[in-house]
Amino acid sequence: IVGGRKATIESQPWIATIFQSARRGPQESFLCGGSLIDPCWVLTAAHCFDTKALQSSQFTVVLGKSALNATDTKEQKFNAERIIVHERYSHARGDYDNDIALMRIRSASGQCAQETDTVKTICLPSQNDILRDNFECEVSGYGKANRTDIFYSRMLKSTNVNLISQSMCRKYYENRVVNGNMLCAGGLHWKTDSCSGDSGGPLICEFGSRMVLHGIVSWGDGCAQKEKPGVYTRVTEYLPWIESHIN
Ligand SMILES: N=C(N)c1cc2cc([N+](=O)[O-])ccc2[nH]1
C-alpha cells in the first residue's frame, strides 16, 4: 500500500494473509492477501497461485494478523482445504481476466474461523450495487509501501482510492485489456495505491452504512504511477460464481 496509514487489524478484521510453505522446509513465505467472506471461505486473486503447483496442502491462511513478522496472540491459523481458481482465469498477454479464487479454510482441529474483534467476515455486494465514478473506497494490505522497495511493508496498511470510470481506465491502459470484469481505482494526484504484495486483498466501499467488498487487488502498471490506476477484480461480476461454490 503506497501512501495511506498503518491500520489496526480491528479496522480490517476480514483481511486474510496467505502463506506458502516451501515443499521441503517448515519455513513459510507470505504470498497474498485475501478477504474472509464466510467463516469457512477466503476470497483472493487467482494470480496468487500462478506459478505454484496447486496442492492446497502447501498453503496456510492466518486471520487476525496486524503484522506479518509478529505472531498476534489472537490470530487464527488454518490450512487451505480446497483452492478453487476461476475456470476462465487467464493471464496471457499480461492482463488478468477472471482474476479470482476461493480457498476453503480448516484449522488443525477441523474448525472454520471463529468471529472475534479481530476476525470478522466482510459483506459481499449485491448484484445491483451501482458504484459511482470518483466514489471513495479503501484498499488494505501488507504489500510494498513504494514500488521500488525490495521488501513488503509487513505492517497492515490502508489507504483511500477513488473509483475511475471504465472509459478513463481504458484510456490509461490503452495497450492492455481492461474489461467489465475489472474495476479501476486511483489515489488523488496518483499518490495512493495498492502495490505488489497487496494482491488478493480487499477494496472496500461503504454502501448504505455497510462495508462492502467491491474489488480484489489484481494488477497495475507499477504502483502510484501517474495515470496508471490500480485494477481490481469486479466482485459484483462473480456473485453467482461465488454462491455456486460456497453454498
Ligand atoms: N494498484 C497497482 N498499481 C498495482 C497492483 C499491483 C499488483 C501487483 N502484483 O500482483 O504483484 C504488482 C503491481 C501492482 N500495482
Side-chain angles (χ1 to χ4, degrees):
I1 297 288
V2 180
R5 58 208 160 266
K6 188 166 167 298
T8 61
I9 185 63
E10 288 80 2
S11 70
Q12 300 292 327
W14 38 75
I15 198 159
T17 50
I18 302 170
F19 294 85
Q20 164 150 52
S21 37
R23 258 179 299 289
R24 283 165 300 287
Q27 76 277 10
E28 296 182 328
S29 54
F30 175 74
L31 183 66
C32 271
S35 300
L36 189 72
I37 56 167
D38 172 282
C40 304
W41 291 91
V42 167
L43 191 67
T44 184
H47 84 254
C48 293
F49 305 106
D50 251 354
T51 55
K52 324 281 177 216
L54 205 54
Q55 290 118 358
S56 60
S57 58
Q58 281 177 14
F59 299 94
T60 54
V61 174
V62 188
L63 302 174
K65 236 180 148 41
S66 46
L68 290 186
N69 50 0
T71 305
D72 276 84
T73 47
K74 297 188 283 186
E75 71 183 38
Q76 296 179 32
K77 192 165 183 171
F78 304 88
N79 292 316
E81 190 181 46
R82 255 175 76 202
I83 297 176
I84 304 167
V85 170
H86 196 282
E87 50 282 0
R88 284 193 309 285
Y89 165 59
S90 79
H91 66 117
R93 306 181 311 280
D95 66 77
Y96 291 110
D97 198 8
N98 302 302
D99 192 8
I100 190 167
L102 276 165
M103 296 177 90
R104 188 179 168 89
I105 59 174
R106 182 191 169 89
S107 72
S109 56
Q111 311 247 297
C112 289
Q114 307 297 314
E115 176 152 338
T116 64
D117 59 338
T118 59
V119 175
K120 291 184 192 307
T121 55
I122 178 80
C123 298
L124 285 173
S126 49
Q127 202 93 31
N128 47 18
D129 272 4
I130 303 294
L131 289 166
R132 305 205 172 294
D133 297 346
N134 272 316
F135 197 86
E136 186 178 74
C137 298
E138 180 184 47
V139 60
S140 303
Y142 304 81
K144 292 185 179 180
N146 297 290
R147 182 167 60 91
T148 51
D149 288 355
I150 45 173
F151 294 111
Y152 291 159
S153 106
R154 293 190 293 255
M155 305 301 295
L156 179 58
K157 285 182 71 187
S158 291
T159 193
N160 293 341
V161 285
N162 297 330
L163 299 184
I164 289 171
S165 72
Q166 211 69 2
S167 55
M168 278 312 287
C169 197
R170 286 200 176 102
K171 265 199 201 78
Y172 291 138
Y173 283 119
E174 54 194 3
N175 59 346
R176 304 284 294 262
V177 171
V178 176
N179 62 25
N181 295 330
M182 304 170 194
L183 175 67
C184 301
L188 223 51
H189 313 303
W190 310 102
K191 288 265 179 285
T192 63
D193 200 355
S194 48
C195 197
S196 61
D198 294 319
S199 303
L203 175 75
I204 293 166
C205 308
E206 197 160 336
F207 218 81
S209 80
R210 287 191 341 163
M211 303 292 266
V212 180
L213 181 70
H214 272 279
I216 300 170
V217 178
S218 180
W219 61 277
D221 183 353
C223 309
Q225 291 212 98
K226 189 167 179 304
E227 301 187 353
K228 294 297 174 193
V231 185
Y232 299 79
T233 307
R234 189 185 290 266
V235 174
T236 46
E237 289 300 306
Y238 297 96
L239 296 174
W241 181 81
I242 293 168
E243 297 301 327
S244 71
H245 286 292
I246 66 177
N247 291 332

